């Protein structure tokens, strides 16, 4: 009977990891895909590789700690209760993925474990409070930093980076030998190549960071119960994440790459840099990083900032009259156009700022990213509070 339960537990853990791959690939590589730097299959492959590296190296420490930080008595993690917790994590993440919205894996997993701990009366409220505070503060920081950059510094930053997409692919495959060798396409310029490598490298860093923290969300309850060893758990989880990246992650890649805002290569670098910096900072503090929320709010902040681009004080003084206006700066960047001075645009030619900031999509994302963890938390609490479970 125990063997059957363990097999069921491994399958449920892989189901959770599968949905982790679906929900975290978008925030990590959505900017690169949205900027046409890499394709979705390449993003999925990179996600699988770097997630596994992060999980195999630093992730095992988080797996060990997740089962002890939120609860004051680890005996609450029986095989049966672990399976139930993983089920609610996977179910909640699946709902977010089906809606094409990347849900926070850390928030969902911590919520489910907190529901279990609260029902058993072993929740450490001090630790939970510290985590929640950072979950609230970090997306706000990402949003406002991105908004300020988009509103006041993006045009100047874009001129410094000056990444313009050329026609055709970045690389060609030289098939003259036995093994195909990728070579830089003849129309690819150096700035474009450097920018592409940068945004993809940041995505790989975010995938690595995801592996260090999110592998615990899939396998920590089983490892904590003592029923599954660490190394097999990481291998099973890594395989399932890769499968999720190649399949269900396609919708979240579209949402993060183009659904929230038009995202050229320069903007992708800004969003990925801010998000990855905050994630690394939170990881250093030992906080389960909700980089899905951080990346989403950074994307929204940058798009909103560009959609409300103002005139500067010198331009007002020099008589570039008319009310403050907006400009489709990201779209201009995407086409390699030169932007007019701030405040000198022809008001009649200014497109709808909704092309830069999609309030409907943003509201949908914010709503689902709060609903999904709530489903896991409430579902786990009610189950362990009112439904008899063997061993609990």
């Amino acid at each position: 009977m125990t063997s059957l339960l363990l097999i069921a537990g491994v399958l449920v853990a892989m189901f959770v990891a599968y949905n982790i791959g679906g929900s975290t690939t978008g925030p990590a590589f959505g900017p690169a895909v949205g900027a046409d730097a890499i394709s979705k299959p390449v993003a999925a492959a990179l996600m699988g590789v770097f997630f596994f590296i992060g999980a195999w190296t630093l992730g095992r420490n988080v797996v060990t700690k997740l089962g002890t930080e939120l609860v004051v008595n680890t005996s609450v993690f029986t095989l049966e209760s672990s399976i139930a917790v993983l089920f609610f994590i996977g179910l909640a993440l699946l709902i977010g993925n089906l809606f094409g919205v990347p849900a926070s894996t850390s928030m969902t997993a911590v919520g489910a474990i907190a529901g279990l701990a609260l029902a058993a009366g072993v929740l450490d409220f001090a630790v939970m409070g510290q985590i929640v505070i950072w979950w609230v503060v970090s997306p706000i920081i990402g949003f406002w930093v991105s908004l300020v950059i988009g509103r006041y510094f993006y045009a100047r930053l874009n001129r410094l980076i000056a990444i313009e997409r050329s026609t055709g692919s970045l690389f060609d495959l030289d098939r003259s030998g036995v093994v195909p060798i990728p070579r830089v396409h003849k129309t690819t310029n150096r700035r474009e190549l450097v920018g592409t490598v940068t945004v993809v490298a940041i995505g790989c860093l975010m995938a690595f960071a995801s592996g260090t923290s999110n592998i615990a969300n899939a396998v920590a309850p089983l490892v904590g119960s003592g029923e599954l060893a660490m190394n097999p758990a990481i291998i099973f989880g890594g395989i399932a994440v890769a499968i999720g990246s190649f399949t269900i992650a396609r919708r979240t890649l579209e949402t993060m790459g183009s659904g929230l805002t038009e995202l050229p290569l320069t903007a992708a670098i800004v969003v990925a840099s801010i998000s990855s910096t905050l994630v690394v900072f939170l990881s250093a503090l030992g906080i389960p990083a909700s980089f899905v929320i951080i990346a989403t709010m950074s994307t929204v902040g940058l798009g909103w900032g560009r959609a409300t681009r103002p005139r500067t004080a010198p331009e007002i003084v020099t008589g570039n009259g008319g009310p403050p206006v907006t400009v489709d700066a990201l779209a201009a960047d995407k086409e390699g156009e030169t932007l007019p001075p701030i405040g000198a645009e022809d008001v009649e030619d200014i497109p709808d700022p909704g092309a830069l900031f999609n309030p409907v999509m943003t509201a949908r994302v914010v709503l689902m990213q709060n609903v999904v963890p709530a489903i896991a938390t409430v579902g786990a609490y009610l189950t362990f509070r009112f439904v008899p479970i063997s061993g609990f």
Side-chain angles (χ1 to χ4, degrees):
M1 181 64 179
T2 301
S3 298
L4 291 177
L5 278 176
L6 180 58
I7 293 174
V10 171
L11 292 177
V12 174
M14 293 185 70
F15 174 67
V16 173
Y18 169 80
N19 283 283
I20 289 174
S23 63
T24 58
T25 305
F29 292 100
V33 172
D36 293 327
I38 56 175
S39 64
K40 291 178 182 178
V42 172
L46 291 175
M47 182 69 194
V49 170
F50 283 91
F51 184 98
F52 182 79
I53 294 174
W56 189 263
T57 54
L58 301 178
R60 57 186 67 244
N61 298 328
V62 184
V63 171
T64 302
K65 292 182 179 179
L66 187 60
T68 61
E69 290 183 351
L70 286 180
V71 296
V72 295
N73 186 354
T74 56
S75 63
V76 72
F77 287 117
T78 64
L79 182 56
E80 293 81 359
S81 66
S82 298
I83 293 175
V85 166
L86 289 171
F87 171 78
F88 284 111
I89 296 173
L91 177 63
L93 290 176
L94 178 62
I95 293 174
N97 285 327
L98 291 177
F99 277 89
V101 176
S104 170
T105 307
S106 294
M107 291 179 66
T108 303
V110 171
I113 295 175
L116 161 66
L118 189 62
V122 295
L123 179 64
D124 191 326
F125 287 95
V127 173
M128 188 67 193
Q130 182 186 23
I131 293 174
V132 170
I133 289 174
W134 277 110
W135 280 351
V136 172
V137 172
S138 56
I140 294 176
I141 295 174
F143 174 84
W144 282 106
V145 171
S146 299
L147 186 146
V148 170
I149 291 176
R151 187 174 172 89
Y152 299 107
F153 302 104
Y154 182 85
R156 184 177 303 174
L157 181 62
N158 183 52
R159 286 193 296 270
L160 292 175
I161 299 177
I163 302 172
E164 299 180 359
R165 289 307 313 270
S166 58
T167 58
S169 60
L170 293 174
F171 298 94
D172 292 324
L173 284 179
D174 183 357
R175 303 180 183 276
S176 59
V178 178
V179 179
I181 301 175
R183 300 188 185 280
V184 178
H185 193 274
K186 61 182 180 180
T187 63
T188 302
N189 59 71
R190 176 178 292 184
R191 286 185 179 273
E192 178 185 9
L193 182 61
V194 171
T196 300
V197 171
T198 300
V199 73
V200 173
I202 293 174
C204 293
L205 174 62
M206 294 184 72
F208 174 84
S210 175
T212 62
S213 61
N214 285 330
I215 188 64
N217 301 329
V219 303
L222 284 179
V223 175
S225 69
E227 298 291 342
L228 186 63
M230 179 73 72
N231 288 347
I234 293 176
I235 293 173
F236 286 138
I239 292 173
V241 166
I243 295 174
S245 298
F246 275 100
T247 55
I248 199 170
R250 291 180 174 272
R251 294 193 65 184
T252 56
L253 279 169
E254 292 175 359
T255 298
M256 294 302 297
S258 60
L260 293 176
T261 178
E262 295 293 332
L263 207 64
L265 206 53
T266 303
I269 292 175
V270 173
V271 170
S273 298
I274 294 172
S275 302
S276 59
T277 299
L278 284 171
V279 168
V280 171
F281 172 72
L282 289 177
S283 299
L285 295 180
I287 303 297
S290 179
F291 79 88
V292 169
I293 306 293
I294 297 172
T296 300
M297 296 311 297
S298 295
T299 304
V300 172
L302 184 64
W304 196 349
R306 295 306 301 142
T308 56
R309 182 184 179 191
R311 294 174 298 157
T312 63
E315 289 168 338
I316 296 176
V317 172
T318 56
N320 287 329
V325 295
T326 59
V327 60
D328 196 352
L330 293 187
D333 169 38
K334 200 168 187 177
E335 299 298 328
E337 301 172 3
T338 301
L339 294 173
I342 297 177
E345 303 88 356
D346 186 346
V347 178
E348 296 181 355
D349 294 335
I350 295 170
D352 183 356
L356 295 180
F357 171 66
N358 189 333
V360 175
M361 177 63 73
T362 300
R364 176 187 176 192
V365 169
V366 172
L367 175 64
M368 289 303 300
Q369 287 183 343
N370 284 276
V371 169
V372 169
I375 291 174
T377 304
V378 174
Y381 173 77
L382 293 177
T383 298
F384 292 107
R385 181 69 176 82
F386 298 107
V387 179
I389 295 180
S390 176
F392 177 72

